[in-house]
Amino acid sequence: MLLHNLPCFIEKDLKEALSQFIEEESLRDHDRDAEACLEAVTSGEVDLHQLAGSWAKAYAETTLEHARPEEPSWDEDFADVYHDLIHSPASETLLNLEHNYFVSISELIGERDVELKKLRERQGVEMEKVMQELGKSLTDQDVNSLAAQHFESQQDLENKWANELKQSTAIQKQEYQEWVIKLHQDLKNPNNSSLSEEIKVQPNQFRESAEANGRIYEEQRKLEESFTIHLGAQLKTMHNLRLLRADMLDFCRHKRHHRSGVKLHRLQTALSLYSTSLCGLVLLVDNRINSYSGIKRDFATVCQECTDFHFPRIEEQLEVVQQVVLYARTQRRSKLKDAHDSGNRNGGSDDKTKNADRNYLNVLPGEFYITRHSNLSEIHVAFHLCVDDNVKSGNITARDPAIMGLRNILKVCCTHDVTTISIPLLLVHDMSEEMTIPWCLRRAELVFKCVKGFMMEMASWDGGVSRTVQFLVPQSISEEMFYQLSNMLPQIFRVSSTLTLTSKH
């Protein structure tokens, strides 16, 4: 028994002896290094002041209390200046100046559209003549050659106008920011006698430009119902719900003339640009990150009509999104490839890997990307939610990627102070034949119930902040269908009822 325990005692003693030896030798090494350093300082080999300066610099750079404060960027300075001005008597001047720029860009876009239309009409006539001669004096190769020439001509013209618009918006942005900074500096100088005249100039210019342009924006008739609800078990939070029949892009477009006159209707949007009460919008898009088709193209056109003086252009923001998606997909592709290799060794299928290799540059259904805007009429943030053709079917569930995407969007709204959000109630922007009345009722009930659940989760996300949720249905939906949906909403949400007090007398 003693012999059996003997190796354990020897191993323990050996470890203790080694640890003690390492500790003692390490201390001797440190002592030798310290004595060598002191000897170098004593002999004058090392400059004592230089050594002290190096130590002080290293300490200051690694200690937070001695770190220099970060210098504010130009964007932050401009944001502070703009926030001050938009809440001052100069607010109307700022908005009118922005509107002048909007009119200028809109006219430029109008000229571009006219020129492109004339080019297409001319090319159509040329192609029609060539098709009449096909098989007689001309061959298929001649037709293809002409089509290639037409395509190249259109590309050249579009590129020319794109460069001109880009240059014009860059000039406007620089002029606007310089003018805002100058105006802010003048406001700080109480002895500036020309300040009042400087503020009055822009409204007069606005009236002239507005009267010179005869086109009037005609608003389509909207149907709207508003509700006040309370959600929560113990701590109830009040929210505002609105059901609207409207075009989603109506919240983005500028109006050339408005009932409020020169005081633009987007004043509230400008006032809350740098605040904790932002407005958002959900756009349903396909899996490609671009602005070339569908509602993405229409949205980009609206963004181009007015220069964004605070954030990058929509094209630049989409380029950043593409880079982020590319990086994320590359990482995911690498992991899937490793899983695929191990799966092949185990006899697994590689269909998922092939699909990932083919589409790794695109976003997936339920994923979304965000763009920021200061040049839209009623929103600051656009959530581009990717959906597929499955949303048109009538059998989606609460676990569908589109529904889960809405949940994640609402979570982002909670964490980033977006207090007003507009959602397409039926998860489509346009109606089609398969979207019958039962289909609409089932879809609306699903979205209402899911959003209600997500809003109740918000209390744990943000502590219970009052929000406004706008449910939008397409313009082509009938009034009868609209009011059926309106009657459904208070049955799902707990709508606050009014209390009528009557006197006995």
Side-chain angles (χ1 to χ4, degrees):
M1 188 69 180
L2 293 174
L3 292 175
H4 177 73
N5 293 331
L6 185 60
C8 297
F9 289 112
I10 293 175
E11 182 180 358
K12 181 180 179 182
D13 294 341
L14 179 61
K15 287 183 177 180
E16 290 179 355
L18 285 174
S19 299
Q20 184 177 359
F21 173 78
I22 292 173
E23 185 178 356
E24 291 175 354
E25 292 300 319
S26 297
L27 288 174
R28 289 193 182 98
D29 287 339
H30 293 319
D31 290 341
R32 283 193 293 268
D33 292 341
E35 290 175 358
C37 292
L38 290 174
E39 182 65 26
V41 173
T42 304
S43 62
E45 184 179 347
V46 175
D47 186 1
L48 184 60
H49 297 288
Q50 183 179 0
L51 181 61
S54 301
W55 285 351
K57 180 181 179 182
Y59 181 77
E61 290 178 351
T62 56
T63 308
L64 180 62
E65 62 179 322
H66 295 286
R68 293 182 179 180
E70 294 184 4
E71 296 182 359
S73 64
W74 160 258
D75 292 335
E76 293 175 347
D77 289 340
F78 179 73
D80 293 337
V81 169
Y82 178 85
H83 186 75
D84 290 342
L85 288 180
I86 202 65
H87 289 84
S88 73
S91 60
E92 185 173 354
T93 306
L94 289 177
L95 295 178
N96 289 334
L97 179 59
E98 291 178 11
H99 192 83
N100 287 342
Y101 283 136
F102 157 66
V103 171
S104 175
I105 294 296
S106 296
E107 292 174 350
L108 201 61
I109 291 177
E111 294 175 9
R112 178 201 64 183
D113 294 341
V114 169
E115 194 167 338
L116 286 171
K117 182 180 179 181
K118 289 182 179 179
L119 176 64
R120 294 191 182 101
E121 290 176 350
R122 186 171 65 252
Q123 291 178 345
V125 173
E126 293 177 0
M127 183 59 71
E128 186 177 353
K129 291 180 179 179
V130 170
M131 293 301 295
Q132 292 175 355
E133 295 296 324
L134 181 62
K136 299 177 184 178
S137 60
L138 299 175
T139 62
D140 291 339
Q141 186 176 359
D142 296 324
V143 175
N144 293 336
S145 176
L146 181 62
Q149 293 177 10
H150 285 175
F151 178 77
E152 185 176 354
S153 299
Q154 287 188 24
Q155 289 293 312
D156 291 341
L157 187 59
E158 289 177 357
N159 291 335
K160 169 205 164 187
W161 278 105
N163 292 332
E164 187 166 348
L165 283 170
K166 183 178 180 180
Q167 183 178 5
S168 298
T169 54
I171 293 174
Q172 285 188 357
K173 187 171 184 176
Q174 181 179 357
E175 290 179 349
Y176 179 85
Q177 291 183 342
E178 291 176 352
W179 184 83
V180 166
I181 296 296
K182 181 179 181 301
L183 180 60
H184 186 260
Q185 292 173 349
D186 292 343
L187 280 173
K188 290 184 176 180
N189 183 7
N191 299 324
N192 193 340
S193 59
S194 62
L195 180 59
S196 60
E197 294 299 324
E198 185 177 354
I199 294 180
K200 291 180 180 178
V201 168
Q202 298 302 329
N204 294 332
Q205 292 179 355
F206 167 75
R207 294 189 184 96
E208 292 174 2
S209 63
E211 293 170 359
N213 196 307
R215 290 184 293 177
I216 299 178
Y217 181 87
E218 297 181 359
E219 295 186 13
Q220 296 182 350
R221 181 173 179 263
K222 292 182 181 179
L223 293 178
E224 177 181 337
E225 291 284 345
S226 299
F227 305 88
T228 300
I229 65 168
H230 287 87
L231 292 178
Q234 296 179 347
L235 179 61
K236 297 186 183 299
T237 305
M238 185 178 70
H239 303 279
N240 298 316
L241 302 182
R242 299 177 68 197
L243 179 66
L244 297 96
R245 185 181 72 173
D247 186 352
M248 187 68 75
L249 297 182
D250 285 348
F251 296 92
C252 307
R253 295 188 180 97
H254 284 267
K255 283 75 174 176
R256 289 188 177 250
H257 295 263
H258 201 265
R259 290 184 296 270
S260 59
V262 297
K263 194 74 171 179
L264 296 183
H265 68 290
R266 65 179 298 269
L267 175 61
Q268 184 58 41
T269 308
L271 290 173
S272 57
L273 179 59
Y274 296 102
S275 72
T276 56
S277 301
L278 302 177
C279 298
L281 179 77
V282 178
L283 287 178
L284 306 175
V285 299
D286 57 31
N287 62 348
R288 293 163 296 181
I289 304 174
N290 57 42
S291 56
Y292 303 141
S293 60
I295 196 168
K296 295 185 298 182
R297 179 187 57 201
D298 299 336
F299 178 74
T301 300
V302 174
C303 293
Q304 292 170 356
E305 287 181 348
C306 189
T307 303
D308 197 319
F309 302 108
H310 301 262
F311 304 112
R313 297 181 304 114
I314 179 68
E315 294 84 3
E316 296 176 5
Q317 295 191 50
L318 293 180
E319 288 177 1
V320 174
V321 173
Q322 286 179 332
Q323 294 173 3
V324 173
V325 171
L326 175 61
Y327 175 78
R329 291 291 180 265
T330 302
Q331 299 297 317
R332 181 178 296 181
R333 186 186 186 191
S334 177
K335 293 181 180 179
L336 287 175
K337 187 177 181 181
D338 295 339
H340 162 66
D341 294 339
S342 61
N344 275 352
R345 288 193 295 268
N346 299 326
S349 173
D350 61 346
D351 291 340
K352 292 184 178 180
T353 305
K354 289 182 179 179
N355 187 55
D357 287 344
R358 185 170 59 252
N359 299 322
Y360 76 100
L361 290 177
N362 298 333
V363 292
L364 302 177
E367 296 180 336
F368 62 92
Y369 51 94
I370 302 172
T371 55
R372 302 168 298 161
H373 308 274
S374 68
N375 57 336
L376 302 181
S377 60
E378 298 180 42
I379 71 164
H380 308 103
V381 181
F383 298 93
H384 304 256
L385 175 61
C386 175
V387 296
D388 54 16
D389 291 336
N390 189 48
V391 295
K392 296 182 180 179
S393 66
N395 56 355
I396 70 170
T397 65
R399 304 300 299 177
D400 188 83
I403 299 293
M404 298 310 297
L406 284 181
R407 178 184 181 273
N408 293 330
I409 287 174
L410 289 176
K411 192 167 186 177
V412 171
C413 291
C414 289
T415 55
H416 291 80
D417 299 320
V418 180
T419 57
T420 300
I421 183 70
S422 300
I423 299 173
L425 175 62
L426 304 180
L427 299 181
V428 294
H429 292 309
D430 299 301
M431 302 297 293
S432 56
E433 293 181 357
E434 68 269 16
M435 299 174 189
T436 59
I437 292 179
W439 184 96
C440 293
L441 294 175
R442 288 196 305 270
R443 176 59 55 81
E445 181 181 8
L446 173 65
V447 175
F448 278 148
K449 289 182 177 179
C450 290
V451 171
K452 178 184 178 181
F454 301 153
M455 293 176 69
M456 294 180 71
E457 283 186 86
M458 289 183 187
S460 61
W461 295 339
D462 59 14
V465 175
S466 180
R467 300 185 183 276
T468 299
V469 179
Q470 301 185 139
F471 298 101
L472 273 61
V473 295
Q475 288 257 3
S476 56
I477 204 169
S478 64
E479 290 192 23
E480 179 184 0
M481 185 72 253
F482 176 84
Y483 288 113
Q484 287 189 50
L485 300 177
S486 175
N487 294 331
M488 179 189 298
L489 192 149
Q491 296 175 7
I492 296 176
F493 292 88
R494 181 179 297 176
V495 177
S496 302
S497 58
T498 58
L499 181 63
T500 304
L501 300 177
T502 58
S503 175
K504 294 181 179 180
H505 302 289

